[in-house]
Amino acid sequence: MRYAIKIAYDGTNYGGWQIQKNNNSVQEEIERVAKTIFGKRVAVIASGRTDSGVHAAAQICHFDADTSIPPDKIADAFNAYLPTDISVLQSACAPENFDATRSAKRKTYCYKMYLSPRRNPLKDRYSEWIKIPVNIAKLKHITGCFEGIHDFKAYCKSNSSIKTTVREIYSVDVKTTEDGISTDVEIYVCGNGFLYNMVRTIAGTMLGFAAGSISEEEVKNSIENCDRGCVGKTMPAHGLTLESVDYGVDLFG
């Protein structure tokens, strides 16, 4: 039978989702526990990779297994063995043709930063400290440049072997909150798929424009002409979280 699980994880101590030779991964931990629960190796397939140090609030996975454990209790079985920085939030039966990777219709990532003259250690694990002056109105203004179907070659790590760098971005939204000392900024990017480092580089380019180091013409040129010389820096991984994956149906309802 096919099952779906929703996982949250703090990516700080992992080399990303995918199993790799020289670094611990979230997938490795999940499959290690799956073998303990089901008595044999089980391949756990995610909606997509997350890079080293990137977090997830709702990574969706599927796997096939024969078990008498009630579907909604599989989450508890996993959590009994998982490390404290990984948790299965929900579990359920999935349609036999469900594929966590191929069935995904859209994904939403959030890049978090906080604007402050001084560092706050309680925010540093999941958001990037920005000390330089940033114009919030400009940060919101530039979002429209990224929406739509574009070739994001300039926003992908160089020498990538990906077949196509064209992606559709459905929305880019900026949300801010203030506490009297600092301003928390959340950049939500929703699209049909993402390239390696793409969201982190979009966030860095938006920040560069809002701080005055990149012009609007340069941002447009980076997209229209795939000019990597016009993009901002790739932001650190710890500020990025996979927020949600949409399949058009409620898998856990």
Side-chain angles (χ1 to χ4, degrees), residues 32-201:
R32 174 186 62 80
V33 171
K35 185 176 181 181
T36 299
I37 296 171
F38 304 119
K40 63 179 181 180
R41 184 185 179 279
V42 173
V44 181
I45 309 301
S47 66
R49 305 177 185 179
T50 50
D51 300 337
S52 178
V54 173
H55 318 293
Q59 173 71 279
I60 305 298
C61 306
H62 81 260
F63 61 87
D64 296 325
D66 294 321
T67 179
S68 60
I69 302 173
D72 63 328
K73 299 300 182 182
I74 287 177
D76 298 320
F78 270 93
N79 292 336
Y81 298 100
L82 284 169
T84 56
D85 51 7
I86 304 174
S87 180
V88 177
L89 304 179
Q90 291 178 287
S91 56
C93 287
E96 288 301 314
N97 62 349
F98 172 74
D99 186 296
T101 306
R102 295 183 176 87
S103 300
K105 296 184 179 300
R106 59 180 64 197
K107 300 176 185 177
T108 301
Y109 280 87
C110 178
Y111 196 88
K112 299 177 183 179
M113 58 185 80
Y114 69 99
L115 316 178
S116 175
R118 298 177 183 85
R119 186 179 67 83
N120 185 335
L122 298 183
K123 295 182 179 182
D124 282 347
R125 193 172 183 90
Y126 304 110
S127 60
E128 175 68 3
W129 174 38
I130 306 298
K131 189 176 182 180
I132 59 176
V134 174
N135 186 316
I136 298 298
K138 290 184 67 176
L139 195 68
K140 294 180 178 180
H141 167 77
I142 204 64
T143 58
C145 286
F146 301 98
E147 296 174 342
I149 301 173
H150 302 289
D151 187 342
F152 285 96
K153 183 177 181 179
Y155 290 81
C156 178
K157 185 178 181 181
S158 58
N159 301 321
S160 172
S161 60
I162 197 78
K163 290 182 179 179
T164 176
T165 50
V166 175
R167 297 290 185 273
E168 182 172 6
I169 298 300
Y170 303 119
S171 64
V172 182
D173 298 303
V174 177
K175 298 181 181 180
T176 61
T177 56
E178 298 185 17
D179 59 15
I181 299 175
S182 64
T183 300
D184 292 336
V185 177
E186 298 178 340
I187 301 174
Y188 290 88
V189 185
C190 177
N192 66 349
F194 296 95
L195 305 169
Y196 183 56
N197 286 348
M198 179 175 162
V199 177
R200 290 160 58 193
T201 308

